[in-house]
Amino acid sequence: MNILILGSGGREHAFAYKLSQSKKIKKLFVAPGNAGTHQIAENIAINPTDFEAVKKVVLTNKVDMVVVGPEAPLVAGVHDYFLADNELKSIPVIGPKKDGALLEGSKDFSKQFMQKHGIPTAKYQSFTKETLAEGHAFLETLNPPFVLKADGLAAGKGVLILDDIEEAKAELTEMLTNEKFGEASATVVIEEFLKGIELSVFVLTDGKNYKVLPSAKDYKRIGEGDVGLNTGGMGAISPVPFADEVFLNKVEERIIKPTVTGLQKDGIDYRGFIFIGLMNVNGYPFVIEYNVRMGDPETEVVLPRITSDLLSLFEGVANQNLDEKSYEVTNEVATTVMLVSGGYPEAYEKGKEITGLDNVDNAIVFHAGTKIEENTILSNGGRVMAITSFGNTIEEALKHSYTNIDKISFEKMNYRKDIGFDLKS
Ligand code: AMP
Ligand code: GLY
């Protein structure tokens, strides 16, 4: 089969890496891809939200399936575009249609969905410019900290957690009346603060059946000890030690099953990944958010642990017989550490030569923001590459990741030296 992956990050390199192991693969394309995907697939320089360009690539290269990495093309309706086009409609897209993508595209929608289907989540109310005064009154009824969320996509920046009621009221006003996050904050969800430890669980579903993929925990803050600005993710660990069988059973019964059946009841034919961000509150899982894609860098630890054929699972999603597909996961721990450009997540420089990659052993290098020019690999983004390793324990896997990081360098390279600090035995 010929497969096209949309996207250009570490997540998409991990998809390409895993799919390239499948015997059924004839040709693999990544659009636009990076220097890492260039080594194992053909990169095609188009924007994944330019659907006409995607169509051209699919038809020219006789693509048999499209795997969507990031949320933007899904929320913009790439799957719907395929279904509405006579030449494309028989080509499966892994990723939900617009209606399902709303689980990530609108926090208000996802909260209503959870409430309707009895899925545990923080109590909430939504407000608009017209109901600002009610929003202030609602804040008065809550205990700090106050959680304010822009309804729409805000590049991961639309969530504010504030201790002071006056500050919370002022921010709510900013979001609703001054469009602090643009259109995304025309509606704001205010919710109760959940105290606990976060983790993520990933589900692959064909709309009827599902497979629960390995759990993972990512490290979002730039600074060691989880301090400083939020990033896309500085590292990840899979599995999460406290996500034991008892806890994961609760996740499956209370969250995954009602989510998949809720989508069916609401007439949403969902084919793709569901990334469930959870808070473990005293042993009970609560949903913080849904994403309609895999996480990055979580994918860089989740996919390498899956030992069965990923393409066969995707075929199950497309043909709605995922229940017939074999699915196995190694017991080994996987860790990944993200190398970032100095200054990230604020201003940083690009175009730095990356050296030492040939010396890496006992680790997988997943490229994120990289490009290749005249056989030289250059940094091309804030998050540059993720170094994934395996071990029998978190410590052992991390040791391999960090030993290999010592061999890699580029000007102003930065990374967190404490990934997994809170999970080690
Ligand atoms: P989100 O974009 O919804 O994942 O929120 C970003 C981050 O804010 C999450 O990863 C949590 O760390 C935190 N957060 C969001 N909602 C809550 C909540 N209700 N209680 C506590 N922390 C939250
Ligand atoms: N690492 C978090 C995300 O992909 O949203």
Side-chain angles (χ1 to χ4, degrees):
M1 287 174 75
N2 294 336
I3 309 284
L4 170 65
I5 301 167
L6 297 181
S8 63
R11 167 182 50 212
E12 287 74 23
H13 189 187
F15 274 130
Y17 163 86
K18 192 70 200 146
L19 287 173
S20 69
Q21 294 170 352
S22 174
K23 289 191 185 69
K24 294 180 188 164
I25 288 281
K26 208 165 100 202
K27 258 205 112 178
L28 197 53
F29 301 92
V30 188
N34 57 36
T37 60
H38 171 76
Q39 291 162 357
I40 51 174
E42 183 178 331
N43 284 351
I44 303 182
I46 58 158
N47 180 341
T49 51
D50 179 350
F51 300 159
E52 281 183 21
V54 173
K55 173 174 176 174
K56 217 169 131 205
V57 169
V58 167
L59 296 180
T60 313
N61 297 290
K62 300 195 166 45
V63 165
D64 301 299
M65 178 187 280
V66 178
V67 179
V68 186
E71 65 278 14
L74 295 168
V75 173
V78 68
H79 196 155
D80 311 68
Y81 178 88
F82 270 60
L83 291 174
D85 186 297
N86 273 333
E87 291 176 285
L88 298 177
K89 68 179 171 204
S90 63
I91 297 165
V93 176
I94 307 302
K97 293 184 275 114
K98 251 181 168 171
D99 55 1
L102 267 186
L103 280 183
E104 176 166 358
S106 166
K107 302 250 186 225
D108 182 45
F109 174 86
S110 78
K111 294 297 281 191
Q112 283 185 39
F113 175 86
M114 288 184 257
Q115 198 169 45
K116 182 170 168 192
H117 299 291
I119 297 163
T121 188
K123 288 195 201 74
Y124 83 105
Q125 278 190 35
S126 298
F127 301 93
T128 59
K129 197 154 57 178
E130 288 69 36
T131 55
L132 176 63
E134 284 95 320
H136 285 181
F138 182 61
L139 282 169
E140 295 279 1
T141 70
L142 299 174
N143 294 319
F146 305 96
V147 183
L148 309 183
K149 298 186 174 185
D151 173 55
L153 293 181
K157 297 194 172 73
V159 176
L160 300 177
I161 299 182
L162 304 156
D163 288 318
D164 181 72
I165 178 92
E166 293 311 320
E167 205 185 331
K169 285 181 181 173
E171 287 291 358
L172 181 66
T173 308
E174 272 296 296
M175 288 166 93
L176 291 175
T177 59
N178 291 335
E179 297 199 342
K180 175 167 178 152
F181 299 106
E183 257 300 294
S185 65
T187 297
V188 172
V189 168
I190 302 181
E191 64 179 41
E192 168 197 37
F193 182 80
L194 297 172
K195 203 165 163 22
I197 317 178
E198 277 184 78
L199 74 154
S200 301
V201 170
F202 303 89
V203 176
L204 181 65
T205 181
D206 63 10
K208 269 192 338 214
N209 312 288
Y210 62 84
K211 303 277 191 215
V212 184
L213 307 183
S215 62
K217 185 176 193 298
D218 80 338
Y219 293 80
K220 287 203 178 92
R221 303 296 192 95
I222 187 70
E224 280 155 21
D226 280 340
V227 297
L229 293 173
N230 254 325
T231 71
M234 296 293 290
I237 308 269
S238 175
V240 182
F242 63 81
D244 56 14
E245 209 180 312
V246 174
F247 182 78
L248 287 176
N249 261 331
K250 288 183 196 158
V251 173
E252 186 159 5
E253 294 304 319
R254 293 162 191 246
I255 293 168
I256 297 174
K257 283 186 183 164
T259 298
V260 174
T261 54
L263 287 165
Q264 272 178 288
K265 282 184 198 154
D266 290 353
I268 298 174
D269 181 12
Y270 194 110
R271 314 275 179 115
F273 292 99
I274 312 175
F275 162 162
I276 309 175
L278 295 171
M279 191 71 88
N280 175 351
V281 184
N282 300 321
Y284 288 91
F286 285 75
V287 178
I288 293 184
E289 62 164 354
Y290 288 112
N291 293 308
V292 297
R293 52 175 173 86
M294 283 298 289
D296 193 352
E298 293 92 328
T299 308
E300 291 93 299
V301 287
V302 168
L303 289 190
R305 291 190 60 231
I306 297 176
T307 49
S308 26
D309 184 18
L310 184 63
L311 182 52
S312 158
L313 290 170
F314 286 167
E315 285 181 302
V317 170
N319 301 324
Q320 228 170 32
N321 61 349
L322 190 56
D323 52 331
E324 295 164 22
K325 303 292 179 183
S326 83
Y327 166 62
E328 276 156 44
V329 173
T330 173
N331 285 328
E332 279 194 301
V333 175
T335 61
T336 201
V337 179
M338 192 61 87
L339 306 183
V340 305
S341 301
Y344 172 82
E346 296 183 285
Y348 57 85
E349 293 165 30
K350 299 197 262 194
K352 308 291 182 197
E353 182 175 352
I354 302 162
T355 57
L357 294 173
D358 289 342
N359 303 328
V360 169
D361 67 320
N362 231 337
I364 314 168
V365 174
F366 289 119
H367 289 231
T370 67
K371 64 176 178 184
I372 183 154
E373 264 178 26
E374 292 162 12
N375 287 327
T376 303
I377 295 176
L378 304 173
S379 66
N380 192 36
R383 294 195 296 168
V384 176
M385 47 183 54
I387 314 303
T388 296
S389 301
F390 287 101
N392 290 317
T393 60
I394 292 177
E395 287 85 346
E396 196 182 301
L398 283 169
K399 195 167 146 245
H400 295 310
S401 288
Y402 284 117
T403 305
N404 279 292
I405 287 172
D406 287 340
K407 303 174 189 170
I408 303 171
S409 86
F410 59 91
E411 204 186 309
K412 298 192 182 153
M413 174 174 115
N414 183 29
Y415 61 94
R416 270 181 65 169
K417 294 166 193 69
D418 70 338
I419 297 304
F421 74 97
D422 53 340
L423 297 181
K424 291 183 196 169
S425 47

